[in-house]
Amino acid sequence: MKIVITDYEFPNLNPEHDAFKNLPAYDLVEAKCTTPEECAVACKDADGVLNQWNHLTADVINAMEKCKVIATYGIGVDKIDVEAATAKGIYVCNSPDYNKVEVSNHICAMIMALSRQLFQSDRLMRQDKYGWMYLDNELHRPNVQTLGFIGFGRIARQVAQKMSDAFQMNIIAYDPFLTEEQVASGRGKKVDLETVMRESDFVSINVSLTKDTYHLITKKELEMMKPTAYMVNCSRGAIIDEHDLYEVLRDKKIYGAALDVFEVEPIPSTHELMTLDNVIMTPHSAWHTRESMWEMQWGAADQVAKVLAGQEPDHCVNLEAVKKVLGK
């Protein structure tokens, strides 16, 4: 069985080999692709594919002659044309649980760094400006502030629990797929999107990137925010219109933002957001610890191993549709 890894940034592939150890025989190919065209060539005769950053377009998938499963390193499958894969009877799998604590911790850290203006304090001290009086913005106790979520899934609920338990923050959430009771079970109050934007002191984006959430947040929504509010995004960069966010931050219509994700990654050093001093940026690293990396690698590879062994995958975004195509 030929398994192709289109690209990866891990120190080794030990987790993959561990996940594949019960396969009767396999050839693990490190393709090191950087373009869809390279992916199409590398994956043409693959039985299974693992992918991290490449875009597996319809052309790439249609070039696959015998692929049974594609697994992404991570949760989001926005880099894979799921519709094209489904039409060819290819399972598309992910690793939904690998970062079960890391991203929520990162979001909490970003909220507190913004709240305490830690990065600005550091910069000011290096300029011989010592004291709270040099800070641009007023500081407030978290227990008088509201944390609003756009999307209230597993990670958002962890953040809500941590910030409400530790800092007594008020929690509100917009999630059209959840009931009031489901939001309440996560320590929050269900509200509409406009209410989240208008009433929150911190807005955390926690939705997947789909055609419906692409540029969900534009200048219209950003200008609803309090002038003292902050935006936090550890989900996907394209959920916010980055130019609109830049203009709102540049004009100081909100206090600031903390971003771990960007529309184009790596974000270019010449990007307009790089010129602002009221933005904290991290390099799509909210997920990362030694433990989460192992779980992500092993979890994605395990889905490939299951399918190639004739089993049903555990974490598949198109399971029922593919079973229908395959007549199962």
Side-chain angles (χ1 to χ4, degrees), residues 286-304:
W287 64 274
H288 181 255
T289 60
R290 180 177 179 179
E291 295 79 10
S292 66
M293 182 178 290
W294 174 279
E295 290 184 17
M296 177 176 66
Q297 289 179 250
W298 191 92
D302 181 55
Q303 299 307 295
V304 172

Side-chain angles (χ1 to χ4, degrees), residues 195-228:
T195 300
V196 166
M197 302 308 293
R198 291 192 184 282
E199 296 187 5
S200 299
D201 297 288
F202 299 86
V203 175
S204 177
I205 294 182
N206 293 89
V207 295
S208 299
L209 178 60
T210 67
K211 65 180 188 304
D212 295 320
T213 60
Y214 175 79
H215 284 188
L216 176 66
I217 305 302
T218 64
K219 184 171 286 189
K220 174 187 174 183
E221 289 75 27
L222 292 166
E223 290 186 341
M224 294 178 184
M225 296 174 70
K226 298 177 183 179
T228 56

Side-chain angles (χ1 to χ4, degrees), residues 31-137:
K32 299 180 181 178
C33 302
T34 59
T35 66
E37 292 75 19
E38 291 176 354
C39 289
V41 173
C43 299
K44 181 179 179 180
D45 59 347
D47 296 285
V49 173
L50 286 158
N51 183 74
Q52 186 171 20
W53 297 114
N54 277 293
H55 287 268
L56 303 187
T57 63
D59 287 341
V60 174
I61 291 168
N62 289 332
M64 297 177 181
E65 296 177 347
K66 57 176 183 173
C67 186
K68 297 179 177 65
V69 56
I70 299 169
T72 185
Y73 287 116
I75 300 173
V77 294
D78 49 284
K79 293 181 175 65
I80 302 170
D81 191 319
V82 178
E83 185 176 348
T86 301
K88 292 202 70 170
I90 300 173
Y91 295 105
V92 177
C93 302
N94 62 356
S95 309
D97 298 323
Y98 78 98
N99 61 353
K100 50 185 174 285
V101 296
E102 284 80 6
V103 176
S104 63
N105 287 346
H106 200 89
I107 293 171
C108 292
M110 281 183 152
I111 291 171
M112 293 311 299
L114 291 169
S115 175
R116 298 303 305 168
Q117 294 186 52
L118 298 185
F119 284 75
Q120 187 184 34
S121 294
D122 178 83
R123 287 194 297 269
L124 289 169
M125 287 182 64
R126 295 170 192 273
Q127 299 167 13
D128 293 327
K129 296 179 179 178
Y130 195 96
W132 60 267
M133 69 288 298
Y134 292 107
L135 293 174
D136 288 341
N137 308 325

Side-chain angles (χ1 to χ4, degrees), residues 249-301:
L249 290 166
R250 179 199 62 194
D251 297 340
K252 303 295 176 70
K253 291 184 177 179
I254 62 174
Y255 266 1
L259 309 172
D260 184 58
V261 289
F262 309 92
E263 288 204 48
V264 175
E265 295 181 347
I267 182 173
S269 60
T270 55
H271 195 286
E272 56 192 1
L273 285 171
M274 291 286 195
T275 66
L276 302 175
D277 61 6
N278 56 346
V279 184
I280 298 172
M281 289 183 277
T282 53
H284 202 146
S285 58
W287 64 274
H288 181 255
T289 60
R290 180 177 179 179
E291 295 79 10
S292 66
M293 182 178 290
W294 174 279
E295 290 184 17
M296 177 176 66
Q297 289 179 250
W298 191 92

